[in-house]
Amino acid sequence: MSENTTTTTTAPTENLRERALKLDAADPLAGRRALFALDDGVYLDGNSLGALPVHVPARVQDVLTRQWGELRIRSWDESGWWTAPERIGDRIAPLVGAAAGQIVVGDSTSVNVFKAVVAAVRIAGEGRDEILVDATTFPTDGYIASAAARLTGHRIVPVAPADVLAALGPRTAAVLLNHVDYRSGRLHDLPGLTAAVHAAGAVAVWDLCHSAGALPVGLDEHGVDLAVGCTYKYLNGGPGSPAYLYVAERHQAVFDSPLPGWNSHADPFGMTAGYAPADGSVRGRVGTPDIVSMLTLEAALDVWDGVSVDAVRAKSLALTDFFLECVEAYVPAGRVVSVTPAAHAERGSQVALRCAEAEPVMRRLIERGVVGDLRRPDVLRFGFTPLYVGFADAERAARILADVLAEVPAGNTVS
Ligand SMILES: *Cc1c(COP(=O)(O)O)cnc(C)c1O
C-alpha cells in the first residue's frame, strides 16, 4: 500500500483518494467539522463518546462562574435551571421526530430503561405477563429489564429482533428493542416492529442510543409508545451527559413512574406528604437534575441548529458505503468480514468488521490516530458521525487498516 505507486492514476489508492476529496468538496455538512475540537487523526468513536464542540467550554465556564458562582440559588429560576430537563428535551425532540412536550432529559439511559419498562407494563395492564427483550441488546438494557420484570411479576422472554413477530402474543405486555444494534450496526425496522407490537396489544419501548443524531427516527410518525436514549454518543453531550425519556403524549396521563421523585410532583415545592404526579413530560423526572452536565449538553446541541437529519442520514450512508469500498479495495481478501448489513435500510451509522486479530489491530490503529473501538472478542467497530467525519477520513482509515493488517500476521490474536 505504498503511496508512491508506480502504476497509473487508475491505481485504486489514487482513485479513491481523489474521489474522497471530491465527495468532501461537495458535502453540505463539511463545514460542521470546524465546530468541533479535533486533531488530525481520524475519530471513528463518536458513537461511543461524541467529540467536544469548541464553543462548549466557555458556556460551561459561565454556568460555573456566573450562574453558580454569582447568582447562586437564584439560578434555579433566573438561569432556567429548574426547567432545563423539559427545555432540553424539546431541543432533542426534532432530532428524533417528536413534537414538543414529550421528552424529558435526566438520569442515565439505564435508569430511563427502568422507568420506561415498568411504565410500559403498567400501561399494558393486567393479564399480560411477558416482556420481550432484544436478546442482542447492550447488556444494561437486559439487566434492567430483568429487574423490572422481577419487581412487576413479569417474565422476560429474550428474543432476537428478527423473531419478535413470532414471539408476540396475548401474553406480551411490553417489548424492549434497540433501534440500531450497538455491535453490528444493524438498523431494525422501527415502523414495522412498532406496528406489530401494537397489533398484539402490547407496548413498544425503543432504545435510541445508536440512532438518535445519526438517522431519522420518526417517534411520533410511527406511533412509538416510549423511548430512551443517551446524549453522549451522536449528540455530543459530553461524558456521562444525561439521557432522555420519551413518553408519547397519549400515554402521559397514565405514565406511572416507578421512581416518582419530588421533581415529578405536580407541586414540588408544596412539600406535601402525598404524591401527585405532574402532567406532561415532567412526570418522567426523578430528583434534582445534574445541572452542569445538563447545561453542557444544552450548549453542545447548538451544533444541530440548521442541520437536517435527512442530510445527516444521506451522508452517513455515503460514508459507510465509501469506507466499505475502500476496505474492499485495500485490505487483502479474507482478513476482515463486514458484519454491518449491506442494505441501507438495515444499516445504522457504523461499520463493524469481524477480524480474528481485532485486538492487536485496533491497538495499532489507535497508535496511528485511527480511533475506533474493539468489541471483544473479534469485532473492529468504526462509528461514522456525519457532522465531523469526512470521506478523506474514511479513505485514510481504510488505508491505515490495510497497513496495520500487513504488520499483524493472520492468526496473531495477542496485543
Ligand atoms: C450506550 C448505551 C447505553 C448506555 O447506558 P448508560 O446508562 O448511559 O450507561 C444503554 N443502551 C444502549 C443500547 C447503549 O448503546
Side-chain angles (χ1 to χ4, degrees), residues 160-345:
D163 301 329
V164 166
L165 294 187
L168 284 167
R171 295 179 65 174
T172 314
V175 183
L176 172 63
L177 292 164
N178 291 287
H179 196 193
V180 172
D181 183 293
Y182 78 103
R183 218 162 187 282
S184 65
R186 178 176 292 276
L187 170 65
H188 297 302
D189 175 14
L190 179 144
L193 286 166
T194 302
V197 170
H198 289 167
V203 177
V205 182
W206 285 92
D207 184 324
L208 310 178
C209 281
H210 282 274
S211 58
L215 50 97
V217 178
L219 288 177
D220 288 350
E221 181 187 350
H222 304 303
V224 167
D225 300 293
L226 298 150
V228 301
C230 66
T231 61
Y232 49 78
K233 294 172 182 166
Y234 293 95
L235 298 181
N236 316 302
S241 57
Y244 57 90
L245 170 69
Y246 164 90
V247 180
E249 194 181 0
R250 66 185 180 282
H251 292 313
Q252 284 178 342
V254 290
F255 177 83
D256 183 3
S257 175
L259 295 169
W262 74 291
N263 272 227
S264 68
H265 197 284
D267 180 18
F269 295 98
M271 304 289 172
T272 54
Y275 179 74
D279 290 335
S281 63
V282 177
R283 198 177 282 202
R285 289 175 64 160
V286 182
T288 305
D290 38 4
I291 290 298
V292 178
S293 273
M294 200 163 281
L295 300 188
T296 303
L297 164 65
E298 183 173 35
L301 289 170
D302 286 359
V303 299
W304 294 95
D305 288 349
V307 172
S308 113
V309 180
D310 289 329
V312 168
R313 175 61 168 165
K315 180 174 174 187
S316 158
L317 289 172
L319 270 175
T320 49
D321 275 344
F322 186 65
F323 178 68
L324 285 165
E325 187 183 339
C326 293
V327 168
E328 171 92 29
Y330 296 164
V331 172
R335 292 298 303 275
V336 299
V337 175
S338 174
V339 294
T340 298
H344 284 176

Side-chain angles (χ1 to χ4, degrees), residues 85-103:
E86 300 82 61
R87 181 176 71 243
I88 303 170
D90 284 346
R91 287 212 48 203
I92 292 172
L95 297 174
V96 292
Q102 301 174 101
I103 295 183

Side-chain angles (χ1 to χ4, degrees), residues 44-45 47 182-185 323-324 327 331 335-340 350-366 370-384 397-398 400-402 404-405 408 412:
L44 300 178
D45 222 348
N47 56 340
Y182 78 103
R183 218 162 187 282
S184 65
F323 178 68
L324 285 165
V327 168
V331 172
R335 292 298 303 275
V336 299
V337 175
S338 174
V339 294
T340 298
Q350 71 179 52
V351 171
L353 301 177
R354 180 156 285 139
C355 172
E357 303 77 29
E359 204 159 336
V361 166
M362 185 51 75
R363 189 174 53 77
R364 283 165 198 249
L365 281 173
I366 291 170
V370 176
V371 179
D373 65 23
L374 178 67
R375 284 290 172 254
R376 286 193 168 77
D378 62 352
V379 171
L380 300 168
R381 198 181 70 157
F382 302 98
F384 288 85
I400 295 174
L401 172 63
V404 165
L405 282 164
V408 178
N412 175 356

